Amino acid sequence: MTVIEFAAGSMWFMLYAFATLIAIRLSPIRSPAVLVVILACLFTIASAPAGALAPVEANYWRALAVFLFLTLSHLMIFGAAYKSISLRILLDLFLAPSGRLPAELVFSRYIEQESFTARIQVMIAQGLASHSRHGITLTPRGRRLAAAVGLLQRLYGIEKSG
Amino acid sequence: MEFSFPAQIAYPAVISLTFPLSLLLVTRLGSLRSRNAAQFLAAALLQVLVWVLGSLALPNGYHPVRPVDWILAVMVVSCALLFYLEVWALLSRGYTLSMLLTLMRANRPLSSEEIARQYRGGAGLDWVMRHRVGGLEATGLVRTEGGHLALTRPLGTLAAVAYRVAIAVLGLRRTG
């Protein structure tokens, strides 16, 4: 790997990271998680023509490895920051005046109300579940996804998840 | 840029594709049963061992020589491990996916309260709280004091500040 290959991969990643910031700001109603994944795929695909046009003496695949490593690290951090209940609890304890909160309050606020309710809304918004007068039920798409997940869990011996 | 595929990253790229098989092998070990994080760690270590030993055994031209070549190979192997970690985390810890499974296993419409009660095979939402808080306590970020949760100093405080910085840098408005 040369300095140019490392710089090319890093700069392409910086462009991607900047694009995610802009996209999240401009599309507040779209899921940020979906936006960053779509952009990661688009930037990976676009790296080939961009590499062909770049007037540098470098190997495309080495630069791509650098870009993919940085992008996947970004996606890991993004996923944790966006959805982690544990990190959310940490932040709210930090913001509490005394640095402590009643355990019951944390449970009812984050697990029962915000996270749980938000996830039901997400399932309905993504067409995985629907609301009827009898309650919440899976759509055919949600059933297919749940069946695939259940199959993978059985294959890998994951007895319980959550 | 030139597009010839470098021989030195062929082996790490190919070995990365075999990680699901390593993980499958590790999940068959009785001693690691139901320990999803430990299973992934063991499979990752096995994968790294196979990669390093294989790299040393490869003929010249195919194995990394200079430190920067090793760094590049580490990036390729890490890319794959990060990808599989994301998938494994979703499969073993995914909150929304577990709710989907709860609905599928019930095989009838459920109210929100019923989903909460039947979550994770009847463990209920309480389990999520116990699991997450247990993890925070085990890593020394939080301690429980008579029905209260408190941030530890300096570790918990540092983690919370780092999280706050990450939210700002990533441009997130909503989290959790």
Side-chain angles (χ1 to χ4, degrees):
Chain A
M1 181 172 59
T2 65
V3 174
I4 293 174
E5 286 159 355
F6 184 80
S10 303
M11 282 170 67
W12 194 242
F13 165 74
M14 296 293 281
L15 272 176
Y16 155 75
F18 184 67
T20 61
L21 272 178
I22 301 290
I24 290 168
R25 280 199 186 280
L26 294 181
S27 306
I29 47 167
R30 289 215 170 84
S31 160
V34 173
L35 284 174
V36 293
V37 171
I38 288 175
L39 279 170
C41 295
L42 287 178
F43 268 76
T44 305
I45 294 165
S47 68
L53 292 173
V56 289
E57 280 191 26
N59 182 277
Y60 166 77
W61 297 102
R62 290 197 190 103
L64 180 68
V66 174
F67 166 73
L68 287 178
F69 172 73
L70 293 173
T71 301
L72 281 162
S73 303
H74 174 268
L75 287 174
M76 283 293 290
I77 295 168
F78 189 93
Y82 182 50
K83 276 292 169 203
S84 171
I85 295 170
S86 307
L87 288 174
R88 177 74 189 274
I89 292 172
L90 279 187
L91 184 60
D92 287 322
L93 287 173
F94 178 71
L95 295 175
S98 56
R100 44 188 271 155
L101 288 169
E104 277 305 310
L105 177 76
V106 173
F107 175 70
S108 65
R109 191 190 289 174
Y110 309 120
I111 311 287
E112 276 185 337
Q113 295 166 28
E114 290 187 24
S115 281
F116 183 65
T117 310
R119 262 118 171 138
I120 289 180
Q121 303 297 339
V122 165
M123 289 195 307
I124 292 170
Q126 292 184 346
L128 300 171
S130 61
H131 228 307
S132 69
R133 61 191 176 89
H134 302 293
I136 299 157
T137 188
L138 287 181
T139 60
R141 189 173 161 216
R143 193 164 287 281
R144 281 197 300 276
L145 178 63
V149 169
L151 183 72
L152 279 171
Q153 286 190 341
R154 277 196 302 280
L155 182 66
Y156 281 95
I158 300 171
E159 289 160 358
K160 284 177 179 173
S161 61
Chain B
M1 282 191 175
E2 55 104 7
F3 282 77
S4 60
F5 195 78
Q8 286 176 339
I9 59 172
Y11 178 62
V14 169
I15 201 80
S16 297
L17 297 175
T18 65
F19 183 76
L21 293 175
S22 302
L23 191 54
L24 194 61
L25 200 70
V26 167
T27 56
R28 296 296 176 264
L29 296 174
S31 56
L32 292 177
R33 195 176 166 190
S34 300
R35 297 170 60 195
N36 303 134
Q39 286 171 334
F40 190 90
L41 180 64
L45 290 174
L46 175 66
Q47 189 79 3
V48 169
L49 184 72
V50 171
W51 163 60
V52 171
L53 293 178
S55 293
L56 295 172
L58 284 171
N60 279 344
Y62 285 90
H63 67 81
V65 181
R66 298 171 303 161
V68 285
D69 298 331
W70 279 101
I71 291 170
L72 186 70
V74 166
M75 282 183 178
V76 174
V77 173
S78 302
C79 275
L81 288 180
L82 286 171
F83 173 76
Y84 291 124
L85 179 59
E86 286 274 8
V87 177
W88 188 248
L90 267 178
L91 279 177
S92 62
R93 286 180 64 117
Y95 193 178
T96 312
L97 287 181
S98 287
M99 284 162 67
L100 286 179
L101 287 170
T102 302
L103 279 167
M104 187 179 76
R105 284 167 189 149
N107 212 19
R108 66 177 176 86
L110 296 178
S111 65
S112 297
E113 294 74 28
E114 284 176 314
I115 296 174
R117 228 179 9 254
Q118 295 180 25
Y119 183 81
R120 206 175 187 264
L125 277 189
D126 282 356
W127 179 88
V128 179
M129 180 69 176
R130 284 198 306 275
H131 184 250
R132 301 309 194 256
V133 172
L136 289 172
E137 280 183 310
T139 45
L141 297 170
V142 156
R143 62 177 185 278
T144 44
E145 297 170 341
H148 282 69
L149 294 179
L151 214 53
T152 59
R153 287 173 196 276
L155 199 61
T157 309
L158 280 174
V161 170
Y163 179 45
R164 203 175 186 185
V165 171
I167 289 171
V169 170
L170 296 169
L172 289 169
R173 293 199 183 103
R174 272 185 314 110
T175 59

